[in-house]
Structure formats: structure tokens, C-alpha cells
Amino acid sequence: MTAAICDPGRVRARTAVRIACAAPDRELLLVEWLNALIYEMATRGMIFGRFDVIIDDHQLQAIAWGEALDRERHRPAAEAKGATYTALEVGRRDDGRWTAACVVDV
Amino acid sequence: MDTRRLERTGSFEWRIAPFGDMRVPAVIFADEGLIQGMDEKVFEQITNVARLPGIVKAAYAMPDAHWGYGFPIGGVAAFDPEAGGVVSAGGVGFDISCGVRCMPSGLGRAAIEARQAELADALFAEIPAGVGSHGEITLSDEETTAMLSGGAAWALSRGYGREADLERIEERGCMPGASPEVVSERARRRQRREMGTLGSGNHYLEVQEVTAVHDAKAAAAFGLEPGEVVVSIHCGSRGLGHQIGTEFLRDMVLAAPDHDIALVDRELACAPIRSKLGERYLGAMRAAINCALANRQIIGHLTRKVFRRFFPEADLPLLFDVSHNTCKAERHRTDGQRREVYVHRKGATRAFGPDHPSLPAGLRTVGQPVLIGGTMGTASYVLVGAAGNERRGFSSACHGAGRRMSRHQARRTWRGRALVDELAARGIAIRSPSDRGVAEEAPGAYKDVVEVVEAAEMAGLARRVARLEPIICIKG
């Protein structure tokens, strides 16, 4: 999602924000998590680039690392309005790795 | 889209007969070329809409229809509350009451060209645009409540604009039935510093020239003359609307089983109009409509302030302000009876024809102005609602050119800086905080707006009045 807004390589992990959310299933949890990030970005004027996430029984605890949005340095192209349920998929691939995807409206 | 899956019922009208559990047919207004260019997803999405409870007559897709979330962008559907009809947060979208306002300046192109760069810089400096921009207003909670109830009338009472503006705004600038008390703390917080801001993405402020008049009588009634310069503003309800959309989409997904609604697509999340959740959403969504109306009213005022510095004689009266992401209770004739239905227009514009009682006196005999946002390199249009269009999509029309390419694909195809230079060479001054944002909004990423508005006219939805071409574009 950060890549939809700006070049993630330009985001420094200077400030930590704690985020917690929950949902009845893992797909809905992905949307909740992204929407929690969107809310924090919008109200704190921040952009995030690193995330420590623990999920236990559809409860998510996270620390999002980032910094104040700097329009000159980050050159943000679009703001995220909200995470959608479109193309929403969370699952484990054959090689054991997890993938999580949905469309974010910008 | 494969036309073999459709039944052609007119030169610009295509029908999908009900199959499976569709309750009504789906109808697409477009010519053959536009249909062929439409994503197959439009077929899937518009037929999914036709499955929703209480839908009336048909699910409609406008000529600019493209893949959306749940509903296609360019989708129109009406629901009967007395037949279990639903209201859908996905059917309105995240950017509630996103819309366009247009203000004729009385100036000619030469006047603008003489001061084009200065004017572009001044507009870019005065009107906050892009991610992370803030307005001059910081809303207290009390002021937020007043704004959510009052809409553009609230903005006027705080010194933004003039009394005459209100009658040129849908709902006369204030959407009735808003419930500020159901708007969450989080939605309010997202809006605290966002009043009077354009936002990003496809939002813009453009200074445009009337380069063609297609209907002299309607143009005269709208105060538009060939060669005249107008200002068009495209934006919506900002963070507040996005947050309301987010919260109610989730609430409607979770509550669907309680309402016995089986969702074929979670993004079609909806609740019965006659349910607590449905009523709460309608109250919050109407409050967000007021937020959008207030936002555009403030930006209109800021625009006039800038123009006055350069052209003291420029008055910039409001031609009209119209939204294209809404759900509104309207009376329409269905099954031989006039009754109240809840019309969802997602990326579609209300387009009342002549003599509609809601139109102000100066527009009543002509019809409602329909403002079509094009691209920064092609054209936008002013249309007018066509007589008799009530039976074709509940008096609705298209809203823009419609994307034909994703942002990602556009970014890989064009370079923002090169586009800005290329447009400058054609006499169009672009100001944007983001080159990448410009690339994502490249004119070539959109369908041909001319084909779209011609199809809207030929389908009997709205007639062309004037073509507008950009001179300055402030891109969010």
C-alpha cells in the first residue's frame, strides 16, 4: 500500500505507532489492518515503511514504523481512501509462503 | 466486453436478460465501440447489482462504465424500500458525493493566456492539493456537526461564497436528512484539517475554454458563450467520506446474514433501507454529502479570491454543482405508478430533464446541467438532462471519460515530467505536487470523452451543450 502512495525506499523508520485490530476471519482482518493504517496515516500525517505484526486468532497487534509525510521528499502520488473487499485473498501458497492481497481505493 | 452476450435493443442500448437469480435485467447505454472496450467485469458487476433485493426496473450502466468495487463505476440502480429494497455503501463508494462545480468567468482565453503562469501558480498556492495538504480551517467537533448538517449553507454562513450560489447546487446546497450524530469520531478526526482541499487522484481544478457550443439555447441559459473561460472543480467529501464508506462497508458485510442477504461479492455490502443499519448509513452518507458540498463551496470561494487579484471584473457566478457518488430518495414512475425509490449513482450524474420541480427557476425550462470531467489533455463537457430520460436510468448520465487503463499501467507508460512539458507545449499549464500523480492521470489512460458524451446524447440520457478544453490544470 505504501508503494501505491510513494517510493517505499524513501520512507525512514523513525517513529513507531502501535495498532491493534480484530475481525471474524483473516480476509476481513487484512482489510481492517489496512484501514487502520490508512486512518493513522491520515490523522497523524505520517507514512509507514516497516511493520512488525503479530496475529493470534484473528487478533492483530502491530507496530508500524514511519515518519511525518514530507511532500518534497516523499513526493506522494495518491492518498489511500480505503481498503476494499475486491480481489481480497489471504492464503498459503504451495511453497508455504503466505500471500495477502486486496485492492486499495486511491 | 463480448457483444454476443448482450441483446441490442437500440442503437445505444443493450440489454442483459435476467439469468440465475437476477431479479431484473441489466441495461448498458453505449455504442458498439464503447461496449467492446468495456472490461468483462462490468458485465459481472452490473448483473450482480441486478441480484440485490428490492431493485426496481433494471440495473443500468452508463457509457463511461468501467470496473469498480462491487458496483461498476458508471452504475445506477434504484431500490424500493417497501419491497425490501436495500441501500449499499459499496453502491455509493468511498468518495461520497464526489462531484463537479463549474463557474463561468466572463473572460476570454487571451486574458488568461496573458497571465497564465502567474494565475496557475497563484491557484496552486491558494488551493490545497495532493496528499498531506491541509486547508486554512481546523474544525472543532461542534463546527463539524454544524458543517455536516448545513453543507454549502454552513460554508456560506462562515463567509465562503454568496447567497446566490445555493440555488445552483443540488439540494440547494444542503442535503436534508443528515445525521451528524452517527458520524464516528474517527471520520470527524480525518476531516479536521481537510475542509477546502482538493485531495489527490483524479481530482482537479481546471481553468477551461468553451471551445464549442452544441446547443446555443441551453448554453445561453447556462451563461456560457463560445470562447469564454470557466473554472471547473472536481472533488468530494475527503477523509470523512472515505472513513464513513469504510466503516459502513464493514458493518454491512458483517450484518448481511442477519438481514438474510447473501452477498455474491462482499463489496456489494448493503442493508435494507428500512433497517436500523440502513437508516444509520443514510444519515451518515447524507452528512458526508453535506461535507462535499461545503468543501466545493469553500474551494469555489478560494478560486474567486485568486481570480479577483488578477481580474477584478471577473465575477465567477456558479453555473451548477452536481455530485456523482450518491444514493438519493427520489420519486420516479415505475410500473405505471410514481413512487419513492432510493437511486444509487456510483460514478453517474443525476440528469433531470426540463420542467423538473427541483430545478431553480433559471434552469427549469432547460433542464439540469450535467458536468462531465474529462482529462487534463483533452476536454470536459457541459451537458443538459434530456427530456424523457426518466425511463432510461432514472434520469442519470455519465460522469467522466472513464478509465481504460490502471494507474499502475499508466505509470509504466508515461513519465509525469514529460507529460507536463508536452501539455505546456500545447498551451496547457499543469501544476501538481507529484509527477507520478500526473503520469497516473495521463489523458491516454482514459476513454475518448467525445465518444462517451455522444453515446450519452444518442441514448437519450443528456444532450451536449458545450465543450470545455483545459488551459490550466491544478492536479491533486
Side-chain angles (χ1 to χ4, degrees):
Chain A
M1 184 162 75
T2 301
I5 301 166
C6 70
D7 176 0
R10 294 186 187 181
V11 182
R12 297 179 296 204
R14 304 182 82 155
T15 307
V17 175
R18 286 189 179 278
I19 294 172
C21 55
D25 63 44
R26 61 193 186 199
E27 280 82 14
L28 292 177
L29 187 62
L30 171 66
V31 174
E32 282 297 302
W33 157 237
L34 294 175
N35 280 328
L37 285 172
I38 289 169
Y39 175 76
E40 297 296 340
M41 285 195 288
T43 54
R44 292 175 187 270
M46 285 183 70
I47 182 93
F48 298 114
R50 202 186 99 200
F51 309 93
D52 298 335
V53 180
I54 298 168
I55 300 171
D56 183 16
D57 193 24
H58 304 142
Q59 309 264 336
L60 182 150
Q61 304 276 345
I63 300 174
W65 297 85
E67 62 178 329
L69 182 76
D70 179 335
R71 279 156 57 95
E72 285 303 310
R73 194 160 52 77
H74 293 121
R75 312 292 290 174
E79 69 188 327
K81 295 175 186 170
T84 75
Y85 301 108
T86 300
L88 174 58
E89 239 180 83
V90 179
R92 207 162 199 169
R93 299 192 312 200
D94 291 345
D95 63 4
R97 294 172 70 180
W98 285 85
T99 58
C102 77
V103 173
V104 175
D105 191 11
V106 297
Chain B
M1 187 186 295
D2 187 349
T3 51
R4 287 173 302 183
R5 301 171 78 186
L6 314 173
E7 176 197 352
R8 193 166 197 164
T9 48
S11 302
F12 292 83
E13 193 173 316
W14 308 70
R15 185 175 182 274
I16 304 166
F19 63 89
D21 52 359
M22 281 171 70
R23 296 165 196 260
V24 292
V27 174
I28 304 173
F29 298 108
D31 63 21
E32 195 160 3
L34 286 167
I35 292 271
Q36 284 165 346
M38 274 180 198
D39 197 298
E40 287 296 334
K41 276 276 179 192
V42 174
F43 183 99
E44 182 187 321
Q45 291 187 326
I46 202 65
T47 52
N48 281 344
V49 171
R51 294 178 161 84
L52 292 174
I55 188 167
V56 176
K57 280 179 84 171
Y60 296 96
M62 299 293 122
D64 54 338
H66 56 284
W67 183 48
Y69 314 117
F71 276 55
I73 313 292
V76 175
F79 298 86
D80 181 353
E82 306 311 327
V86 293
V87 59
S88 168
V92 172
F94 284 107
D95 201 357
I96 298 167
S97 197
C98 183
V100 184
R101 72 165 41 194
C102 181
M103 303 187 295
S105 74
L107 301 164
R109 184 181 186 104
I112 301 294
E113 276 181 343
R115 309 193 67 183
Q116 187 183 20
E118 287 171 90
L119 179 62
D121 291 340
L123 287 166
F124 190 49
E126 187 74 32
I127 291 148
V131 188
S133 59
H134 295 301
E136 61 180 24
I137 302 167
T138 301
L139 288 175
S140 67
D141 198 47
E142 200 178 25
E143 274 294 86
T144 305
T145 299
M147 178 272 289
L148 295 174
S149 302
W154 167 85
L156 180 68
S157 73
R158 300 302 185 270
Y160 297 96
R162 39 180 106 118
E163 186 72 35
D165 294 338
L166 296 184
E167 73 160 13
R168 292 304 183 104
I169 304 174
E170 276 187 301
E171 322 303 339
R172 292 181 187 265
C174 179
M175 183 73 204
S179 310
E181 70 280 5
V182 303
V183 174
S184 72
E185 176 58 33
R186 288 167 86 85
R188 287 163 178 261
R189 267 197 73 192
R190 270 180 87 168
Q191 196 59 27
R192 258 173 71 83
R193 302 284 314 279
E194 296 209 339
M195 292 310 296
T197 63
L198 270 181
S200 63
N202 62 355
H203 296 154
Y204 62 77
L205 180 151
E206 279 190 359
V207 179
Q208 305 157 322
E209 181 191 4
V210 178
T211 55
V213 165
H214 301 274
D215 180 332
K217 190 178 153 219
F222 290 176
L224 295 172
E225 289 187 22
E228 185 179 3
V229 167
V230 305
V231 177
S232 293
I233 297 164
H234 176 220
C235 62
S237 53
R238 310 291 296 110
L240 181 131
H242 308 164
Q243 189 67 27
I244 289 173
T246 295
E247 292 171 4
F248 279 92
L249 202 59
R250 177 197 56 209
D251 292 351
M252 286 177 175
V253 165
L254 295 176
D258 301 338
H259 294 127
D260 289 326
I261 296 173
L263 296 173
V264 287
D265 175 350
R266 277 169 158 172
E267 205 69 29
L268 286 171
C270 55
I273 294 160
R274 300 274 186 256
S275 69
K276 280 191 175 151
L277 180 55
E279 283 170 9
R280 276 183 55 233
Y281 174 68
L282 284 166
M285 183 211 52
R286 289 165 179 158
I289 290 177
N290 281 332
C291 179
L293 299 182
N295 195 40
R296 289 196 291 274
Q297 180 71 8
I298 293 168
I299 296 174
H301 172 80
L302 297 175
T303 305
R304 284 173 178 155
K305 211 167 100 181
V306 173
F307 265 72
R308 258 198 306 276
R309 292 211 305 263
F310 290 81
F311 313 103
E313 73 282 15
D315 189 41
L316 293 165
L318 180 56
L319 164 56
F320 209 64
D321 181 302
V322 69
S323 300
H324 47 232
N325 283 350
T326 58
C327 172
K328 290 186 174 175
E330 295 169 10
R331 294 188 72 75
H332 286 281
R333 184 170 289 282
T334 62
D335 301 331
Q337 275 187 331
R338 193 161 282 280
R339 54 184 161 158
E340 187 178 72
V341 291
Y342 285 67
V343 185
H344 293 64
R345 295 185 181 91
K346 184 179 187 180
T349 313
R350 186 156 86 177
F352 286 146
D355 302 321
H356 194 279
S358 81
L359 294 175
L363 301 175
R364 188 147 320 151
T365 57
V366 188
Q368 183 208 300
V370 177
L371 307 174
I372 306 300
T375 77
M376 58 184 155
T378 54
S380 295
Y381 276 85
V382 178
L383 314 183
V384 62
N389 69 2
E390 191 180 6
R391 61 180 183 275
R392 293 181 287 273
F394 301 100
S395 301
S396 306
C398 48
H399 84 306
R403 282 197 89 88
R404 68 174 185 87
M405 190 186 282
S406 72
R407 290 183 173 279
H408 186 67
Q409 202 181 343
R411 200 158 73 226
R412 287 189 314 188
T413 310
W414 290 281
R415 289 277 162 271
R417 185 41 44 194
L419 257 180
V420 169
D421 293 343
E422 185 191 313
L423 290 167
R426 288 174 44 203
I428 304 165
I430 308 292
R431 297 289 184 276
S432 172
S434 166
D435 288 347
R436 188 177 124 183
V438 171
E440 292 180 4
E441 286 294 313
Y446 284 85
K447 295 176 193 175
D448 178 3
V449 69
V450 178
E451 201 179 349
V452 168
V453 295
E454 280 177 357
E457 179 166 320
M458 298 308 288
L461 305 175
R463 287 182 293 108
R464 285 171 296 167
V465 175
R467 174 183 168 97
L468 313 172
E469 292 185 31
I471 306 172
I472 294 172
C473 175
I474 310 299
K475 204 71 197 149

